[in-house]
Amino acid sequence: MTPGKRAERSLDALSFFVSDARYGLGAFLGVYLMTEHGWDAGRIGAALSIGGLTGLVSQTPMGALVDSVRAKRALIAGATVLVTLTCLFIPLAPYFWPVALAGVVGALAGVTIGPTLAAISLGVVGPERFAGRAGRNEALFHLGDGMISLAILLTAPFFGSAVLFWSMGFTMIASVLAAAAVPARAIDHSVARGLPPGAVPVQGASAWRLLLGSRPLLAFAACGALFHLANASMLGLVAQKLALQNLGQGITLTAASAIAAQSVMVPVAAMAGARADAWGRRPLLLAAFVALALRGVLYTLSDNTAWLIAVQLLDGVGAGLIGALFPVVIADLSRGSGHFAAAQGVVGTVHGVGGVLSAGIAGQMVVRAGYDATFLAMAGVAALGGLLFWLIMPETRGMAQR
């Protein structure tokens, strides 16, 4: 097997297993703190927002680090280990400031994983094949996340919340082995940072200057911030609602909700990567906003457990499309700059503003107005984001190199 083929098979395994570390415990953390330690939605949102803010301000420097280092395999392996260790620390000290501190450390490592995986992939396959590779990465990421959620669903009734932490330990080891299996010589490090093969980056240029000098990047950043403002808190809120309505089954039902979404994200992400060059990026991203707005409205129509989990299928459409196409659009708009990972960090920072605000605002809205009013507000934000995207975001397929 050639180094390129070995590298792609190893990227498949890495994309699959790193899913458990990329976002830490995710929605399970809020349910765990609520059901095991009596936290309310407002306290959960406040603690998670601190880690979210850390991730927000660190994305650009961590992206610049990814661009500058050649040891990208070691970087993603180390980040995976660090995220896992912070999650394993939480049961030992389930109090506000220890949980917030663990979130800070985990955020610093977590924001490194996505850009590093994308950079390695770009360096292996090149820009011509990157859309398909990015879609495959995202599909395998969601498949891995769904399989872990299925394992939690099947084992949580017997072993309780401990299975959350066992699964993270297993996937950490598998991710490190997969990263080590990528042949170092298969990665073109100039291409991995968005340059032609063998090119030297321009000294003194910055990723923020790239963003501020590009109207399409600014539009993508602003619209994405609205998407994440609406989307980031939805799964967590549904998980909390299910946990309150079905005492003792919070972890199990959160896993079921995640599985429902992941079952759709896998084919949607694969389709987005396969068809992005033929159909363009813009119509696929518009569909993500439509799915998110519809999802927020549908949550309010019934409190039935089966209904809430079924509506979660729409999360697979929105998140699958955004996740698969985010690095593709950034690669389109940063080609030739040498700032591929840093540009992901800059735009991700703006998107992250929406995500951080979502966690804090939604938690307080639930306390004051209830779950249905919060879901409708999130749906309105998604609709606004979709309208703005339609008006100001151009098609990025085939844009000229900077």
Side-chain angles (χ1 to χ4, degrees):
M1 186 182 294
T2 64
K5 289 291 185 183
R6 281 182 53 202
E8 291 209 55
R9 298 293 79 77
S10 299
L11 283 171
D12 288 345
L14 182 57
S15 299
F16 182 90
F17 287 113
V18 83
S19 61
D20 212 22
R22 190 171 174 184
Y23 300 120
L25 291 170
F28 289 111
L29 178 56
V31 174
Y32 171 76
L33 293 171
M34 177 180 286
T35 58
E36 299 289 335
H37 300 287
W39 289 38
D40 63 27
R43 193 180 181 202
I44 292 169
L48 299 186
S49 292
I50 295 173
L53 284 169
T54 302
L56 184 68
V57 300
S58 65
Q59 287 188 72
T60 302
M62 296 310 291
L65 175 66
V66 174
D67 280 328
S68 63
V69 303
R70 297 175 68 89
K72 291 179 173 60
R73 300 177 305 154
L75 186 61
I76 195 170
T80 301
V81 171
L82 191 56
V83 170
T84 303
L85 291 180
T86 59
C87 291
L88 296 179
F89 171 77
I90 289 173
L92 303 178
Y95 313 110
F96 184 88
W97 286 113
V99 169
L101 179 61
V104 167
V105 177
L108 288 171
V111 298
T112 309
I113 292 175
T116 309
L117 178 60
I120 294 172
S121 300
L122 182 60
V124 169
V125 304
E128 294 78 13
R129 295 179 51 217
F130 182 60
R133 180 70 247 180
R136 185 178 178 88
N137 286 354
E138 192 70 10
L140 287 165
F141 165 76
H142 291 305
L143 180 61
D145 206 12
M147 294 299 291
I148 291 297
S149 296
L150 179 60
I152 292 170
L153 176 67
L154 296 176
T155 57
F158 304 100
F159 302 105
S161 59
V163 300
L164 298 175
F165 306 98
W166 297 345
S167 69
M168 291 207 72
F170 167 74
T171 55
M172 176 194 72
I173 294 171
S175 297
V176 170
L177 293 174
V182 178
R185 64 185 181 277
I187 306 171
D188 185 318
H189 290 283
S190 293
V191 174
R193 60 183 301 168
L195 291 169
V200 178
V202 177
Q203 298 300 317
S206 74
W208 279 105
R209 186 179 299 174
L210 174 66
L211 173 67
L212 296 174
S214 170
R215 290 184 63 186
L217 265 178
L218 285 170
F220 186 55
C223 296
L226 291 174
F227 181 92
H228 290 287
L229 176 60
N231 181 69
S233 58
M234 276 200 189
L235 175 57
L237 294 179
V238 172
Q240 293 170 25
K241 190 172 184 179
L242 289 169
L244 292 173
Q245 294 175 180
N246 302 270
L247 298 179
Q249 301 181 52
I251 297 294
T252 300
L253 291 174
T254 301
S257 299
I259 291 168
Q262 303 296 348
S263 67
V264 177
M265 288 180 195
V266 173
V268 167
M271 179 275 296
R275 305 307 302 168
D277 287 334
W279 296 349
R281 289 61 157 141
R282 193 169 182 267
L284 293 169
L285 289 169
L286 276 171
F289 283 95
V290 172
L292 178 58
L294 181 61
R295 176 179 160 216
V297 172
L298 292 177
Y299 279 140
T300 68
L301 301 185
S302 173
D303 290 339
N304 179 268
T305 297
W307 172 259
L308 293 175
I309 294 175
V311 172
Q312 188 61 22
L313 293 170
L314 286 171
D315 186 24
V317 178
L321 291 171
I322 289 287
L325 295 175
F326 174 82
V328 177
V329 172
I330 300 298
D332 290 341
L333 298 175
S334 65
R335 186 172 300 135
S337 70
H339 291 300
F340 172 52
Q344 290 181 76
V346 169
V347 177
T349 296
V350 181
H351 287 190
V353 170
V356 170
L357 291 175
S358 182
I361 292 173
Q364 298 304 319
M365 283 190 67
V366 167
V367 172
R368 290 168 172 74
Y371 284 97
D372 286 352
T374 304
F375 284 131
L376 288 175
M378 297 298 105
V381 172
L384 175 62
L387 177 62
L388 187 65
F389 185 91
W390 180 65
L391 292 173
I392 69 173
M393 183 66 195
E395 175 57 59
T396 66
R397 175 186 55 182
M399 276 197 168
Q401 178 170 295
R402 293 183 64 86

